Amino acid sequence: MGAITVAIVPASPNQTEPAAPDWCDLAVVGGGILGLAVARELVRRNPRSSVCVLEREGELAAHQSGHNSGVIHAGVYYRPGSLKARLCVEGAREMYEYCLERGVSNEKCGKVIIASKPSEVPRLEELERRGNANGAPGLRRIDSLHIEEIEPHAVGIAGLYSPATGIVDFQAVARAYAHDLLESGGAIATGCEVSDVEVKARSLALAHARGGTNTGHAIFCAGVWADRIAVSAGADPDPRIVPFRGAYLRLAPERRHLVRSLIYPVPDPSLPFLGVHLTRRIDGDVLLGPTALIALARDAYRLGRVRYKDLRDTVAWPGTWRMLARWWSAGASELRHAALRSALVRLAARYVPELRVADVQPAFVGLRAQALARDGTLLDDFAFSQTERALHVRSAPSPGASASLAIARYVVDEAQRALGLER
Ligand SMILES: Cc1cc2nc3c(=O)[nH]c(=O)nc-3n(C[C@H](O)[C@H](O)[C@H](O)COP(=O)(O)OP(=O)(O)OC[C@H]3O[C@@H](n4cnc5c(N)ncnc54)[C@H](O)[C@@H]3O)c2cc1C
């Protein structure tokens, strides 16, 4: 199959196409990879119901799903028994099958996690234990010679090799989900930001930028805006989303040979989302990053962007101050990495010593929807909540894209159970 094109209800003010529907049986708010996967699953299980995705931007997968590392995670890191562990292993397997079936380019290129000092070796052993408990396929411990065989320019004292980790363009996957949805009779309306949710006797009224849609039930997959829309539907404000800005660098084309596939550090188990990695992309680019800095706007792709409402929500949340008090030292080093390209490159050069500042250039920025509890705990697992006639995805961090098919199945199972959707 060639490039997948998706015809959607456009956002143009002069549109001649039909507007967002006045009514649908099942609405999904958010046209990222999760919203589209959920809508696709809904339409497959409820072929007689009308399903519609309402997306605020003019295009699909415009936020996290289109600005990430593009890694199909195999399930190594996560606490055994967690949703992440289960859904990542299942989801990654399904992702490879889906890409094969739909002709989406991907590569099971493998990943090496490298310990660069003795104090990291026990954590590497713990990762191996977790990965095996989770059922991550083919994990094996490797020594420094094997590290060099797999990644000739990398060094380390010990490593963990995950052959089932791979790469894909998740935006292309999201487009394929959208295509499946439309083919099965679902609808997608872009430029359709949902601003309010009103519970009626037998429906929900969603007010949005293109009027309003009444729906029997709704599933909200709003990424970095998930807390705001959940609260407007009557959900608990805990957890709040605090946006983290992750900037990537890319290796100059003539230096890409320094990285064959994926080179990762041993993560700090309390801050697993930190850690600069070297990632080959499916288009051949090699990324270095990302940084992780609290953003002053939920769409702070530009460094100077500040949105008063976003800033106020972050600052007014007690969890923000508790998190900062606890993690100020990690925060300070992240600030240094974000401010000084040389500091970020030095960090990556622990694993690939030939790397120089002159080898890199700015690439792109991703805005991470970090769910933060009132007590300052950074939510690590996937989290959901329920309101009248609705389910909300409250936290779907990495490996949310890898696990999207499995998360969609889980969410629709929950919707059938909790909302009484037709089976
Ligand atoms: C820097 C970074 C790197 C990552 N790397 C990886 C990786 O390598 N592998 C992996 O598996 N995962 C990775 N992830 C995680 C992955 O990207 C997310 O888990 C996944 O994209 C979440 O999908 P989503 O649809 O929930 O969110 P999003 O893609 O953010 O989509 C949410 C959508 O909801 C829309 N929306 C919000 N509010 C409204 C509203 N009120 N009305 C209508 N629409 C609304 C938004 O416009 C957006 O399109 C990474 C994330 C980041 C930030």
Side-chain angles (χ1 to χ4, degrees), residues 210-247:
R210 292 175 64 187
T213 298
N214 285 300
T215 181
H217 295 92
I219 298 182
F220 292 85
C221 305
V224 81
W225 290 277
D227 55 340
R228 216 170 263 172
I229 195 74
V231 168
S232 86
D236 191 324
D238 194 359
R240 178 147 300 178
I241 297 291
V242 172
F244 276 77
R245 190 173 189 277

Side-chain angles (χ1 to χ4, degrees), residues 34-206:
L34 284 189
L36 293 163
V38 165
R40 173 182 175 275
E41 185 69 20
L42 281 172
V43 88
R44 284 155 73 95
R45 289 204 212 174
N46 305 276
R48 291 194 307 269
S49 302
S50 52
V51 176
C52 181
V53 173
L54 306 172
E55 163 55 44
R56 65 177 253 153
E57 305 296 349
E59 55 176 325
L60 299 172
H63 291 290
Q64 297 178 95
S65 304
H67 297 83
N68 55 48
S69 302
V71 175
I72 304 177
H73 291 289
V76 179
Y77 300 103
Y78 321 116
R79 188 174 47 76
S82 62
L83 273 178
K84 264 190 181 179
R86 172 156 72 84
L87 300 180
C88 182
V89 173
E90 283 173 28
R93 193 188 57 243
E94 289 169 292
M95 180 61 70
Y96 286 117
E97 286 166 11
Y98 180 80
C99 289
L100 183 67
E101 193 186 302
R102 303 291 279 106
V104 179
S105 305
N106 71 96
E107 193 189 330
K108 205 183 269 187
C109 57
K111 155 165 105 173
V112 58
I113 304 170
I114 297 181
S116 62
K117 47 188 181 197
S119 61
E120 291 174 346
V121 174
R123 280 196 264 140
L124 197 69
E125 285 163 359
E126 171 60 12
L127 283 187
E128 184 185 17
R129 191 193 67 75
R130 283 186 173 200
N132 285 330
N134 294 343
L139 276 188
R140 63 174 201 270
R141 282 290 299 278
I142 52 177
D143 59 17
S144 51
L145 281 178
H146 281 113
I147 293 174
E148 279 180 53
E149 265 169 33
I150 295 166
E151 287 287 350
H153 299 274
V155 296
I157 58 170
L160 184 62
Y161 182 60
S162 165
T165 303
I167 50 176
V168 73
D169 173 358
F170 285 118
Q171 211 165 27
V173 175
R175 282 198 296 272
Y177 293 168
H179 190 269
D180 294 347
L181 172 68
L182 295 172
E183 241 179 19
S184 312
I188 299 174
T190 53
C192 209
E193 178 176 8
V194 175
S195 51
D196 192 39
V197 183
E198 192 189 338
V199 181
K200 306 262 198 184
R202 288 200 176 77
S203 64
L204 287 177
L206 306 177

Side-chain angles (χ1 to χ4, degrees), residues 277-357:
H277 44 262
L278 290 144
T279 317
R280 180 169 289 279
R281 308 265 288 176
I282 199 69
D283 63 6
D285 225 358
V286 175
L287 297 179
L288 188 164
T291 54
L293 208 57
I294 290 191
L296 307 183
R298 296 190 184 202
D299 59 348
Y301 294 100
R302 203 165 36 78
L303 190 56
R305 174 164 288 168
V306 182
R307 289 192 193 274
Y308 174 71
K309 190 174 174 193
D310 294 349
L311 186 55
R312 188 197 57 202
D313 278 357
T314 298
V315 172
W317 186 240
T320 304
W321 299 101
R322 292 179 178 134
M323 172 192 69
L324 290 175
R326 186 163 173 212
W327 299 115
W328 63 270
S329 143
S333 54
E334 282 304 318
L335 191 60
R336 200 173 58 250
H337 297 149
L340 290 176
R341 198 180 292 180
S342 56
L344 200 62
V345 172
R346 225 180 3 258
L347 199 62
R350 269 195 211 158
Y351 310 98
V352 180
E354 289 168 62
L355 268 178
R356 300 283 172 269
V357 180

